[in-house]
Amino acid sequence: MPQNMQSFKQLVMHPLRFRLFLFTQLPSAWFAGVRIVHIDEKSAIVTVKQQWFNKNPFHSMYFGILSIAGEISTGILGMAMIYKNNPPVSMLIVKNEAQFFKKATGTIRFTCKAGEAIAQTVATAISTGEGQTITCLSEAHNEAGELVASFLFTWSFKAKQPRQS
């Protein structure tokens, strides 16, 4: 595991630091109770539990909450790949698609396995100096392992001017 990835993993897997990050930078994700349960250079797993404040009138989880957790499962891998990078790299969502297959109830687990592809995309953005995009899949499963929804998030990565050391 690359050194920056190890540092980033320690940061986001620390329950207090990650919750503080969510509270200050993504308050709706903090309020919804999004949690990272796994991250490495290949994949990330994020969970969110159905609660009274994230439900819809149909007694399932509101689609916006599902989208937040799906985005975080892909975005946290992107953030890991650009963490303390020199030159710095910016990232931005440029497209989102979703499909919903069944009611989301209980704890929903979002898995993204695009870590290696994201790392390659970031490397290409740095080596070429041009913005690069990648579409990442996040699949949401319920506690029974059934597919509840799938999300495609297209991220853009672009290297900034190198920092002076």
Side-chain angles (χ1 to χ4, degrees):
M1 183 179 298
Q3 182 60 38
N4 286 356
M5 179 66 180
Q6 184 62 33
S7 299
F8 185 80
K9 180 178 179 176
Q10 289 175 344
L11 192 66
V12 299
M13 294 304 290
H14 187 280
L16 185 58
R17 286 183 179 152
F18 183 67
R19 287 186 186 143
L20 182 61
F21 167 77
L22 289 180
F23 183 74
T24 59
Q25 303 300 314
L26 298 166
S28 55
W30 173 83
F31 192 70
V34 173
R35 302 285 185 264
I36 295 176
V37 296
H38 169 81
I39 184 170
D40 63 23
E41 65 275 359
K42 295 180 182 181
S43 64
I45 300 172
V46 173
T47 61
V48 67
K49 184 177 180 181
Q50 181 186 8
Q51 300 177 56
W52 70 268
F53 51 81
N54 66 18
K55 69 181 178 82
N56 62 31
F58 309 106
H59 307 290
S60 62
M61 201 175 305
Y62 180 62
F63 84 95
I65 302 300
L66 297 170
S67 295
I68 289 169
E71 177 189 348
I72 290 173
S73 72
T74 63
I76 203 73
L77 287 169
M79 290 174 69
M81 301 308 165
I82 67 172
Y83 182 67
K84 292 188 176 182
N85 206 31
N86 192 13
V89 176
S90 64
M91 62 184 280
L92 178 69
I93 278 191
V94 295
K95 188 175 179 184
N96 172 3
E97 296 178 48
Q99 289 186 297
F100 302 93
F101 304 107
K102 65 184 310 150
K103 284 186 174 189
T105 58
T107 300
I108 306 299
R109 184 181 195 92
F110 298 80
T111 305
C112 178
K113 299 178 181 177
E116 292 174 326
I118 292 170
Q120 182 58 49
T121 302
V122 170
T124 302
I126 292 168
S127 68
T128 65
E130 296 180 11
Q132 302 291 315
T133 61
I134 182 171
T135 300
C136 303
L137 171 67
S138 177
E139 292 187 321
H141 292 86
N142 62 17
E143 293 164 342
E146 300 166 313
L147 183 64
V148 171
S150 68
F151 297 88
L152 292 172
F153 292 96
T154 302
W155 290 94
S156 171
F157 293 91
K158 184 167 183 178
K160 299 177 183 179
Q161 295 293 356
R163 292 184 204 154
Q164 300 300 319
S165 298

